Every structure is written in C-alpha cells, then in structure tokens.
Amino acid sequence: MAFAVPLLVSLAACVTMPERVGFSARQIEVLEGAGFRPVGSGYELGISNRVLFGFDSAGIVPETATMLAGLSKQLLDAEIYGAGIVGHTDAVGEDEYNVRLSRSRAEAVRDALIAGGMDLTRMRVDGLGESDPIESNDSETGRTQNRRVVIIVTPADALPVGR
C-alpha cells in the first residue's frame, strides 16, 4: 500500500487533456494561433479577427485579402483542407437583398481563401442576411459589427479528400 500512493500520484501527473475530437494538436495550435476559438465540435474565427464589410458592400480590401491568403496557407500547412464561410448583414434593407449580400460576402472570403490555395470543392458558403446579429442594429457601431463573415472549421475539414 505504501507504494500505491506515489504510483497514483505519478500516474496522475502523466494525464494530459484530451485533444478535441477530430483535430490534431498541431491543427488546434494553428487554429487558435490564427484567432479561431472552439465552438461546439469545431472552431470559429474569433470576434476580434472576423472579416468586416462596409455598408452595402461585399468587397474585401487588399490587406484583408492578403490576411486571408496567409490564413489559407496556415490551414493547409496544418492539413486543414476546407472551411464553412457564413456571411451576415446589418438590418438595413430588404430581407431578401440582405441574404444575397451576405452570401456575396461569404463568396468573397471563399475566393480569397482559394487564392491562398484552398480547394473550391472543400469550401461551403452560406448567407444568413440579418437573421443572426451579434450587436444591436440601433447604432452605427452595432450595424458595423453585424456586417461580417465568420469562418468555421469542423473536424470533417481536417480529413483528406475521400475520408
């Protein structure tokens, strides 16, 4: 019994936190280093790093395109082959128009990721319009925060094609 306590203590010291199912330690390191945060079983680009857009615009400024191309390379280097991209708008304008605009925003981000090397067939885009605000649309600051695109990486995005 005297040796059991030190044995248990030493075994407990060897216990590590399990990896998130579907992601390697390297993939988690790259995702978190790029500003993604765990959400459900996947990762979502964090609030401070999300891609924002001007009013009634789906255009990406050159600095953002460069950042997205670099992000694409980082993801590919970590064997993350795809992503989901979800566009959003503020509440100004007609619902149907905002859904189309939000999808155009998601497509613009997808195209920038593809320019960095990601495969079109591994990218998913969706436009939610104004249906999922993160701030109040009652102020310009809130509306600006709602004009965004979110990039989501799931465990399936970390699988090679055909798996």
Side-chain angles (χ1 to χ4, degrees):
M1 184 67 163
F3 72 91
V5 172
L7 177 64
L8 289 175
V9 170
S10 94
L11 286 175
C14 294
V15 174
T16 59
M17 293 300 294
E19 292 180 2
R20 290 180 58 85
V21 175
F23 293 99
S24 70
R26 170 77 176 123
Q27 290 167 331
I28 292 169
E29 178 186 343
V30 167
L31 287 166
E32 291 179 354
F36 284 79
R37 61 185 172 85
V39 175
S41 64
Y43 279 84
E44 183 176 293
L45 194 60
I47 299 277
S48 63
N49 295 321
R50 73 178 171 275
V51 180
L52 300 177
F53 291 83
F55 177 74
D56 198 29
S57 172
I60 295 178
V61 297
E63 297 82 25
T64 300
T66 299
M67 180 274 294
L68 290 169
L71 176 62
S72 180
K73 287 177 180 25
Q74 285 181 300
L75 295 177
L76 288 169
D77 287 347
E79 298 180 328
I80 296 171
Y81 305 102
I85 303 144
V86 182
H88 301 270
T89 65
D90 59 29
V92 177
E94 297 295 321
D95 292 348
E96 202 171 298
Y97 176 81
N98 282 339
V99 168
R100 285 192 310 272
L101 177 59
S102 65
R103 183 167 180 88
S104 293
R105 289 174 175 168
E107 290 168 346
V109 169
R110 175 203 60 203
D111 293 347
L113 290 169
I114 290 169
M118 300 289 283
D119 183 349
L120 171 64
T121 65
R122 299 293 301 264
M123 308 302 282
R124 304 170 308 281
V125 296
D126 196 11
L128 298 183
E130 61 192 69
S131 67
D132 189 25
I134 57 170
E135 295 291 333
S136 170
N137 280 296
D138 294 335
S139 71
E140 181 55 37
T141 301
R143 288 188 295 276
T144 297
Q145 294 301 305
N146 290 330
R147 296 190 296 262
R148 70 199 190 281
V149 165
V150 177
I151 301 171
I152 302 163
V153 176
T154 67
D157 296 319
L159 294 175
V161 174
R163 291 193 69 197

